[in-house]
Amino acid sequence: MKIFKNKKKLNREISDLKKIAFVPTMGALHRGHISLIKKAKKKSNQVLVSIFINPKQFNSKQDYKKYPRKLNEDIKILKKIKINFLYLPTYRDIYMFKPKNKIYLDNFSKILCGKFRPSHFIGVVNVVNRFLEIIKPRFLYLGLKDFQQLSIIKSHVIKNKIKTEIIDCPTIREGNGMAISSRNLKLTKNQLINAGKIYKFIKQNKKLIFYKIYNNKKSEVIEKLIKLGANKIDYIECLNLNTKKICNSPKFRFNIFISYYIGNVRPVSYTHLTLPTKRIV
Protein backbone atom coordinates (compact mmCIF):
# COMPACT_ATOMS: atom_id res chain seq x y z
CA MET A 1 0.00 0.00 0.00
CA LYS A 2 1.37 3.38 -1.03
CA ILE A 3 0.47 6.38 1.16
CA PHE A 4 0.24 9.92 -0.23
CA LYS A 5 -0.18 13.20 1.65
CA ASN A 6 0.31 15.44 -1.36
CA LYS A 7 -1.89 15.52 -4.46
CA LYS A 8 1.01 16.26 -6.82
CA LYS A 9 2.83 13.09 -5.78
CA LEU A 10 -0.42 11.15 -5.92
CA ASN A 11 -1.13 12.38 -9.44
CA ARG A 12 2.32 11.39 -10.64
CA GLU A 13 1.60 7.87 -9.41
CA ILE A 14 -1.94 7.41 -10.75
CA SER A 15 -2.16 9.69 -13.81
CA ASP A 16 -1.90 6.78 -16.27
CA LEU A 17 -4.35 4.50 -14.43
CA LYS A 18 -7.73 4.22 -16.17
CA LYS A 19 -9.82 2.07 -13.80
CA ILE A 20 -9.28 3.50 -10.33
CA ALA A 21 -11.97 2.56 -7.83
CA PHE A 22 -12.25 5.30 -5.20
CA VAL A 23 -13.65 4.94 -1.67
CA PRO A 24 -13.77 8.26 0.22
CA THR A 25 -13.92 8.04 4.03
CA MET A 26 -13.49 10.19 7.12
CA GLY A 27 -11.64 7.40 8.91
CA ALA A 28 -12.54 5.46 12.07
CA LEU A 29 -13.04 2.58 9.65
CA HIS A 30 -15.67 -0.05 10.35
CA ARG A 31 -17.34 -3.00 8.60
CA GLY A 32 -19.36 -0.62 6.43
CA HIS A 33 -16.22 0.94 4.99
CA ILE A 34 -14.59 -2.45 4.58
CA SER A 35 -17.59 -3.74 2.61
CA LEU A 36 -17.23 -0.79 0.20
CA ILE A 37 -13.52 -1.47 -0.23
CA LYS A 38 -14.04 -5.20 -0.85
CA LYS A 39 -16.64 -4.43 -3.52
CA ALA A 40 -14.21 -1.98 -5.10
CA LYS A 41 -11.49 -4.64 -5.15
CA LYS A 42 -13.79 -7.02 -7.03
CA LYS A 43 -14.38 -4.38 -9.69
CA SER A 44 -10.83 -3.06 -10.06
CA ASN A 45 -7.26 -3.95 -9.15
CA GLN A 46 -6.55 -0.24 -8.60
CA VAL A 47 -8.28 0.77 -5.34
CA LEU A 48 -7.71 4.15 -3.73
CA VAL A 49 -9.06 5.04 -0.28
CA SER A 50 -8.99 8.53 1.19
CA ILE A 51 -9.19 9.55 4.84
CA PHE A 52 -10.10 13.19 5.32
CA ILE A 53 -12.34 14.64 8.04
CA ASN A 54 -13.95 17.42 6.06
CA PRO A 55 -14.59 20.47 8.30
CA LYS A 56 -16.92 22.08 5.76
CA GLN A 57 -19.64 19.46 6.20
CA PHE A 58 -19.97 19.93 9.97
CA ASN A 59 -22.46 22.44 11.34
CA SER A 60 -20.43 23.06 14.48
CA LYS A 61 -16.73 23.17 15.33
CA GLN A 62 -17.44 21.08 18.42
CA ASP A 63 -18.93 18.25 16.35
CA TYR A 64 -15.92 18.39 14.01
CA LYS A 65 -13.43 18.24 16.89
CA LYS A 66 -15.25 15.32 18.52
CA TYR A 67 -15.46 13.21 15.36
CA PRO A 68 -13.65 9.86 15.99
CA ARG A 69 -10.03 9.76 14.83
CA LYS A 70 -8.17 6.42 14.65
CA LEU A 71 -5.60 6.92 11.89
CA ASN A 72 -3.01 4.37 13.06
CA GLU A 73 -5.66 1.66 13.38
CA ASP A 74 -7.14 2.64 10.02
CA ILE A 75 -3.76 2.28 8.29
CA LYS A 76 -3.33 -1.21 9.78
CA ILE A 77 -6.78 -2.23 8.51
CA LEU A 78 -6.10 -0.93 5.00
CA LYS A 79 -2.72 -2.68 4.84
CA LYS A 80 -4.34 -5.92 5.93
CA ILE A 81 -6.97 -5.81 3.17
CA LYS A 82 -4.28 -4.79 0.68
CA ILE A 83 -5.56 -1.66 -1.00
CA ASN A 84 -3.25 -0.02 -3.53
CA PHE A 85 -3.30 3.63 -2.50
CA LEU A 86 -4.18 5.65 0.59
CA TYR A 87 -4.61 9.41 0.25
CA LEU A 88 -4.29 11.48 3.45
CA PRO A 89 -4.68 15.05 2.20
CA THR A 90 -4.26 18.20 4.23
CA TYR A 91 -6.90 20.92 4.22
CA ARG A 92 -4.67 22.97 1.94
CA ASP A 93 -4.26 20.08 -0.48
CA ILE A 94 -8.03 19.81 -0.91
CA TYR A 95 -9.17 23.41 -0.78
CA MET A 96 -6.34 25.56 -2.13
CA PHE A 97 -7.31 25.25 -5.79
CA LYS A 98 -10.24 26.39 -7.88
CA PRO A 99 -12.35 23.45 -9.11
CA LYS A 100 -13.53 23.28 -12.71
CA ASN A 101 -17.03 22.07 -11.89
CA LYS A 102 -19.73 24.28 -10.43
CA ILE A 103 -21.35 22.82 -7.32
CA TYR A 104 -24.87 21.62 -8.10
CA LEU A 105 -27.34 20.99 -5.27
CA ASP A 106 -30.54 19.22 -6.22
CA ASN A 107 -33.76 20.38 -4.52
CA PHE A 108 -33.64 17.13 -2.55
CA SER A 109 -30.95 18.84 -0.46
CA LYS A 110 -33.55 21.19 1.09
CA ILE A 111 -35.50 18.57 3.06
CA LEU A 112 -34.72 15.92 5.70
CA CYS A 113 -31.11 16.47 6.85
CA GLY A 114 -30.79 19.51 4.59
CA LYS A 115 -33.46 21.30 6.61
CA PHE A 116 -31.67 20.75 9.91
CA ARG A 117 -28.04 20.85 8.72
CA PRO A 118 -28.08 23.72 6.22
CA SER A 119 -24.37 23.74 5.32
CA HIS A 120 -23.88 19.97 5.32
CA PHE A 121 -24.65 18.96 1.75
CA ILE A 122 -22.84 21.82 0.06
CA GLY A 123 -19.81 20.85 2.15
CA VAL A 124 -20.13 17.19 1.12
CA VAL A 125 -20.58 17.89 -2.60
CA ASN A 126 -17.76 20.41 -2.53
CA VAL A 127 -15.23 17.98 -1.08
CA VAL A 128 -16.36 15.02 -3.23
CA ASN A 129 -16.13 17.16 -6.35
CA ARG A 130 -12.58 18.18 -5.43
CA PHE A 131 -11.58 14.57 -4.83
CA LEU A 132 -13.01 13.60 -8.22
CA GLU A 133 -11.06 16.37 -9.96
CA ILE A 134 -7.84 15.34 -8.22
CA ILE A 135 -8.16 11.56 -8.64
CA LYS A 136 -10.37 11.21 -11.75
CA PRO A 137 -11.56 7.75 -10.71
CA ARG A 138 -13.48 5.43 -12.99
CA PHE A 139 -15.66 4.24 -10.09
CA LEU A 140 -16.85 5.89 -6.88
CA TYR A 141 -18.18 3.65 -4.07
CA LEU A 142 -20.78 5.11 -1.72
CA GLY A 143 -23.08 3.50 0.85
CA LEU A 144 -26.88 3.60 0.82
CA LYS A 145 -26.64 4.28 4.57
CA ASP A 146 -26.40 7.94 3.55
CA PHE A 147 -29.20 7.76 0.98
CA GLN A 148 -29.87 11.49 0.71
CA GLN A 149 -26.17 12.30 0.45
CA LEU A 150 -25.67 9.61 -2.20
CA SER A 151 -28.56 10.92 -4.29
CA ILE A 152 -27.32 14.52 -4.10
CA ILE A 153 -23.79 13.52 -5.15
CA LYS A 154 -25.24 11.56 -8.08
CA SER A 155 -27.17 14.63 -9.23
CA HIS A 156 -24.00 16.74 -9.12
CA VAL A 157 -22.03 14.16 -11.10
CA ILE A 158 -24.77 13.89 -13.76
CA LYS A 159 -25.26 17.67 -14.01
CA ASN A 160 -21.53 18.26 -14.56
CA LYS A 161 -21.13 15.23 -16.87
CA ILE A 162 -18.34 13.86 -14.69
CA LYS A 163 -17.01 10.61 -16.13
CA THR A 164 -17.15 8.65 -12.89
CA GLU A 165 -19.60 5.80 -12.32
CA ILE A 166 -21.16 5.79 -8.86
CA ILE A 167 -21.64 2.34 -7.34
CA ASP A 168 -24.36 2.10 -4.67
CA CYS A 169 -23.55 -0.30 -1.84
CA PRO A 170 -26.02 -1.72 0.71
CA THR A 171 -26.18 -0.58 4.32
CA ILE A 172 -24.26 -2.74 6.77
CA ARG A 173 -25.98 -3.01 10.14
CA GLU A 174 -25.11 -3.88 13.71
CA GLY A 175 -26.64 -6.96 15.30
CA ASN A 176 -29.39 -4.77 16.76
CA GLY A 177 -30.30 -3.40 13.31
CA MET A 178 -28.84 0.11 13.53
CA ALA A 179 -26.64 1.17 10.65
CA ILE A 180 -22.93 0.87 11.39
CA SER A 181 -21.40 4.33 11.72
CA SER A 182 -18.19 5.82 13.08
CA ARG A 183 -20.36 7.89 15.42
CA ASN A 184 -21.56 4.70 17.10
CA LEU A 185 -18.19 4.62 18.88
CA LYS A 186 -19.43 7.55 20.99
CA LEU A 187 -22.47 5.65 22.30
CA THR A 188 -22.53 3.84 25.64
CA LYS A 189 -23.70 0.24 25.92
CA ASN A 190 -27.16 1.31 27.12
CA GLN A 191 -27.42 3.91 24.36
CA LEU A 192 -26.61 1.26 21.76
CA ILE A 193 -29.36 -0.93 23.21
CA ASN A 194 -31.84 1.97 22.96
CA ALA A 195 -30.81 2.69 19.36
CA GLY A 196 -31.56 -0.95 18.56
CA LYS A 197 -35.00 -0.65 20.17
CA ILE A 198 -35.76 2.41 18.06
CA TYR A 199 -34.74 0.62 14.85
CA LYS A 200 -36.83 -2.44 15.81
CA PHE A 201 -39.88 -0.28 16.55
CA ILE A 202 -39.64 1.47 13.17
CA LYS A 203 -39.09 -1.78 11.28
CA GLN A 204 -42.00 -3.57 12.95
CA ASN A 205 -44.45 -0.65 12.75
CA LYS A 206 -43.84 0.83 9.30
CA LYS A 207 -47.49 0.92 8.27
CA LEU A 208 -48.56 2.31 11.63
CA ILE A 209 -45.94 5.05 11.44
CA PHE A 210 -47.07 5.99 7.94
CA TYR A 211 -50.69 6.08 9.13
CA LYS A 212 -49.78 8.42 12.00
CA ILE A 213 -47.70 10.78 9.86
CA TYR A 214 -50.22 10.79 7.00
CA ASN A 215 -53.01 11.71 9.41
CA ASN A 216 -51.13 14.47 11.25
CA LYS A 217 -50.40 12.36 14.32
CA LYS A 218 -46.62 12.48 14.08
CA SER A 219 -46.41 13.71 17.69
CA GLU A 220 -47.60 10.27 18.84
CA VAL A 221 -44.71 8.61 16.99
CA ILE A 222 -42.21 11.08 18.44
CA GLU A 223 -43.54 10.48 21.96
CA LYS A 224 -42.99 6.74 21.51
CA LEU A 225 -39.44 7.25 20.21
CA ILE A 226 -38.57 9.40 23.23
CA LYS A 227 -39.89 6.67 25.53
CA LEU A 228 -37.58 4.22 23.74
CA GLY A 229 -34.53 6.37 24.53
CA ALA A 230 -34.25 9.15 21.95
CA ASN A 231 -33.41 12.53 23.45
CA LYS A 232 -34.32 14.64 20.43
CA ILE A 233 -35.90 13.94 17.05
CA ASP A 234 -35.03 16.30 14.21
CA TYR A 235 -37.46 14.59 11.86
CA ILE A 236 -39.24 11.40 10.97
CA GLU A 237 -40.68 11.40 7.46
CA CYS A 238 -41.92 9.09 4.73
CA LEU A 239 -40.10 9.81 1.49
CA ASN A 240 -41.44 8.90 -1.93
CA LEU A 241 -38.48 7.16 -3.56
CA ASN A 242 -39.62 8.06 -7.08
CA THR A 243 -40.06 11.81 -6.60
CA LYS A 244 -37.69 12.23 -3.60
CA LYS A 245 -40.34 14.32 -1.93
CA ILE A 246 -42.24 13.87 1.31
CA CYS A 247 -44.82 11.18 0.60
CA ASN A 248 -48.37 12.52 0.18
CA SER A 249 -49.99 9.28 -0.91
CA PRO A 250 -50.01 5.78 0.58
CA LYS A 251 -49.83 4.17 -2.85
CA PHE A 252 -46.13 4.59 -3.57
CA ARG A 253 -42.90 2.91 -2.57
CA PHE A 254 -41.19 4.89 0.17
CA ASN A 255 -38.60 4.85 2.92
CA ILE A 256 -39.08 6.00 6.47
CA PHE A 257 -36.28 8.43 7.29
CA ILE A 258 -35.42 9.52 10.80
CA SER A 259 -32.77 11.75 12.36
CA TYR A 260 -32.61 11.59 16.13
CA TYR A 261 -30.18 12.03 19.00
CA ILE A 262 -29.26 9.76 21.87
CA GLY A 263 -27.41 11.99 24.29
CA ASN A 264 -25.50 14.30 21.95
CA VAL A 265 -24.91 11.62 19.30
CA ARG A 266 -26.94 11.32 16.11
CA PRO A 267 -27.16 7.64 15.09
CA VAL A 268 -28.01 6.81 11.48
CA SER A 269 -31.20 4.90 10.79
CA TYR A 270 -33.73 4.57 8.02
CA THR A 271 -35.85 1.69 6.89
CA HIS A 272 -37.55 0.66 3.65
CA LEU A 273 -41.14 -0.18 2.89
CA THR A 274 -42.83 -1.12 -0.38
CA LEU A 275 -46.49 -0.30 0.05
CA PRO A 276 -49.32 -2.35 -1.46
CA THR A 277 -51.49 -0.60 -4.04
CA LYS A 278 -54.46 -0.92 -1.70
CA ARG A 279 -54.85 2.07 0.59
CA ILE A 280 -53.87 1.45 4.20
CA VAL A 281 -55.45 4.58 5.71
Side-chain angles (χ1 to χ4, degrees), residues 43-200:
K43 189 85 170 180
S44 173
N45 59 3
Q46 302 160 2
V47 176
L48 189 156
V49 175
S50 68
I51 296 176
F52 177 67
I53 303 175
N54 177 34
K56 290 186 178 291
Q57 69 188 70
F58 289 83
N59 284 331
S60 75
K61 290 182 179 179
Q62 185 179 23
D63 193 21
Y64 169 70
K65 289 178 180 178
K66 288 185 176 181
Y67 194 85
R69 289 162 169 83
K70 301 171 65 178
L71 183 57
N72 290 335
E73 292 179 39
D74 291 343
I75 289 173
K76 289 178 182 178
I77 290 170
L78 295 173
K79 284 182 177 178
K80 187 175 181 179
I81 58 180
K82 298 179 180 179
I83 67 160
N84 305 88
F85 310 108
L86 171 60
Y87 183 29
L88 303 171
T90 63
Y91 179 91
R92 182 177 181 82
D93 214 33
I94 294 295
Y95 286 110
M96 293 300 108
F97 72 94
K98 185 177 181 180
K100 297 175 183 177
N101 298 316
K102 185 177 180 181
I103 299 301
Y104 173 73
L105 282 183
D106 186 84
N107 285 335
F108 188 24
S109 66
K110 296 177 182 178
I111 62 173
L112 303 178
C113 281
K115 183 178 179 180
F116 290 87
R117 305 169 71 195
S119 62
H120 175 68
F121 288 123
I122 193 167
V124 169
V125 176
N126 188 0
V127 75
V128 170
N129 179 67
R130 288 169 180 273
F131 271 121
L132 295 182
E133 291 196 14
I134 291 168
I135 298 166
K136 298 178 178 61
R138 177 68 184 84
F139 308 104
L140 172 63
Y141 284 76
L142 299 172
L144 283 163
K145 172 177 74 71
D146 303 303
F147 177 86
Q148 188 177 16
Q149 175 176 291
L150 170 60
S151 177
I152 291 165
I153 291 171
K154 275 187 178 180
S155 296
H156 168 78
V157 167
I158 293 168
K159 183 73 172 181
N160 285 282
K161 299 179 181 179
I162 298 172
K163 296 179 180 179
T164 295
E165 179 182 349
I166 297 178
I167 310 294
D168 304 352
C169 298
T171 303
I172 306 299
R173 297 187 177 274
E174 304 278 9
N176 66 2
M178 67 183 298
I180 294 176
S181 170
S182 299
R183 293 181 186 272
N184 295 355
L185 296 170
K186 297 164 69 176
L187 294 172
T188 67
K189 184 177 180 180
N190 284 337
Q191 288 172 333
L192 285 167
I193 290 171
N194 288 341
K197 290 178 180 177
I198 289 169
Y199 174 79
K200 185 176 180 181

Side-chain angles (χ1 to χ4, degrees), residues 224-238:
K224 175 63 175 179
L225 294 171
I226 289 173
K227 285 182 179 179
L228 289 172
N231 293 99
K232 174 187 172 185
I233 291 92
D234 279 346
Y235 62 80
I236 180 166
E237 299 286 0
C238 301

